[in-house]
Amino acid sequence: MELMNEIWKKAKADKKRIALAEGEEERNLKACSKILENELADIVLVGDKKVIADKAQKLGVNVSGAEIANPQTSERASAYAEAFYELRKKKGMTLEKAEKIVKDPLYFATMMIKLGDVDGMVSGAIHTTGDLLRPGLQIVKTAPQTSVVSSMFIMEVPNCDYGKNGMLLFADCAVNPQPSAEELASIAISTAETAKSLCGIDPKIAMLSFSTKGSASHDLVDKVTKATQIAKESRPDLSIDGELQLDAAIVKEVANLKAPQSDVAGKANVLVFPDLQAGNIGYKLVQRFAKAEAIGPICQGFAKPINDLSRGCSADDIVNVVAITAVQAQAN
Ligand code: ACO
């Protein structure tokens, strides 16, 4: 896939240090070996040295170039506990509790990012999205000028003229169940930035609804209209329009009928869904019915990059998500 080739090239050009928080897991070990072989990133495997060595040997993969950090024995654990306690003491955290929590590999890897020991982290082959996001939201938090962490999928639809030769970005399909208008605007802006920095796309952003330019009236439509207005006001440099129905957003003929004045309708390559039910169902529909490749969910809006994996992921998926994380870290 052309886009992933570009992302690999970018990752290699300025190598970053990425933690694999599920460092003892087999797909992570296979991925680690491939990442090191292709010089995509320096890797820190979070886990026990002996478990990792035994599993790598059994799998016949070479991970000797990776650093290993064991949360149970690491010299950094006390610094991480101290820093975590300072960050969360107003929320009732005690040092004693913090010392226990940072022994959890996901919290440990997140503290590695926070204290600058790695540039990014990837996890989720054996944890849920919520398990991964929660430490990130509590510790790394959002980037400046970003009110929410969100996610996007790069959808590559075969034999398709919509978007950029069938490539479209869908957001938010994995994080925010019910974004407010302000949060929806922030998701649109984050996705525009991801489109530019990661995909080399000049974003044309459609704020999706079941209404086009007032064709229906409902509180849910009002939320999308308000989000569009907020996004346009805060980023007048971006091409954003709404509220638009999906067909008006991507099909020229429908756009000409329903939204002829719009500079986005009929040309959208970034689709912002009004909530997580629509976004999550929407990307899966396109993935299954149109046999699209869905790369993601890629998290955006964190102060430093953290990315999730699907529990059904392959080792190659992990390699690609690490390359994406490394490129996001370069942008930081
Ligand atoms: N951006 C920034 N900060 C956030 C966000 C966000 N989107 N969401 C929560 N927070 C912060 C809160 O402000 C809070 O901070 P604080 O503790 O410092 O005050 C902290 O994160 C925890 O907030 P909670 O509201 O307690 O969040 P919770 O832990 O309940 O859940 C989560 C957050 C995990 C993101 C939740 O919204 C969630 O589960 N989302 C859906 C995930 C999911 O299941 N996706 C679908 C599957 S993925 C797929 O199909 C590809």
Side-chain angles (χ1 to χ4, degrees), residues 87-88 91 128-139 141-142 146-151 153 172-178 183 187 276 280-281 283-284 296-297 300-302 308-311:
L87 278 170
R88 303 294 294 170
K91 301 264 168 185
T128 65
T129 301
D131 288 341
L132 167 79
L133 289 176
R134 217 161 278 118
L137 296 171
Q138 291 173 355
I139 297 166
K141 298 198 169 278
T142 52
T146 307
S147 62
V148 280
V149 167
S150 60
S151 73
F153 275 88
D172 172 6
C173 307
V175 179
N176 295 280
Q178 247 180 331
E183 289 170 341
I187 291 167
L276 189 52
N280 192 270
I281 294 166
Y283 102 79
K284 285 177 197 270
Q300 50 189 13
F302 273 123
D308 186 24
L309 298 163
S310 151
R311 276 172 292 167

Side-chain angles (χ1 to χ4, degrees), residues 21-22 27 104 106 121-136 174-175 297 299 306-312:
E22 295 159 335
R27 288 163 294 171
D104 174 318
L106 296 187
M121 76 174 265
V122 171
S123 172
I126 50 172
H127 288 90
T128 65
T129 301
D131 288 341
L132 167 79
L133 289 176
R134 217 161 278 118
V175 179
C299 294
I306 294 178
N307 274 309
D308 186 24
L309 298 163
S310 151
R311 276 172 292 167

Side-chain angles (χ1 to χ4, degrees), residues 7 16 119 121 152 194 197-198 298-301 304-307 321-332:
I7 289 173
K16 294 292 170 190
D119 302 307
M121 76 174 265
M152 49 77 65
T194 307
S197 62
L198 199 63
I298 298 165
C299 294
Q300 50 189 13
K304 291 185 184 174
I306 294 178
N307 274 309
V321 174
V322 167
I324 287 168
T325 309
V327 173
Q328 288 178 314
Q330 291 170 356
N332 262 11

Side-chain angles (χ1 to χ4, degrees), residues 126-277:
I126 50 172
H127 288 90
T128 65
T129 301
D131 288 341
L132 167 79
L133 289 176
R134 217 161 278 118
L137 296 171
Q138 291 173 355
I139 297 166
V140 171
K141 298 198 169 278
T142 52
Q145 270 133 44
T146 307
S147 62
V148 280
V149 167
S150 60
S151 73
M152 49 77 65
F153 275 88
I154 303 169
M155 303 298 295
E156 293 212 314
V157 190
N159 309 316
C160 169
D161 297 331
Y162 302 135
K164 187 185 174 191
N165 302 322
M167 193 207 303
L168 294 103
L169 272 59
F170 286 16
D172 172 6
C173 307
V175 179
N176 295 280
Q178 247 180 331
S180 64
E182 289 73 15
E183 289 170 341
L184 209 49
S186 177
I187 291 167
I189 292 167
S190 292
T191 314
E193 295 305 333
T194 307
K196 287 194 266 186
S197 62
L198 199 63
C199 307
I201 284 183
D202 178 21
K204 296 222 168 275
I205 307 144
M207 306 295 283
L208 297 182
S209 175
F210 59 84
S211 165
T212 299
K213 300 285 178 187
S215 64
S217 42
H218 192 279
D219 289 351
L220 293 173
V221 176
D222 292 344
K223 180 178 90 168
V224 178
T225 316
K226 187 172 168 201
T228 309
Q229 196 186 341
I230 297 168
K232 276 174 180 257
E233 277 168 19
S234 79
R235 289 296 300 272
D237 58 306
L238 293 174
S239 218
I240 303 180
D241 205 6
E243 85 292 356
L244 294 169
Q245 285 161 290
L246 187 270
D247 53 357
I250 59 172
V251 183
K252 277 192 191 101
E253 294 74 18
V254 181
N256 288 342
L257 283 172
K258 293 188 175 181
Q261 312 298 330
S262 172
D263 64 339
V264 169
K267 299 184 220 126
N269 50 27
V270 173
L271 303 181
V272 177
F273 291 85
D275 67 24
L276 189 52
Q277 307 241 39

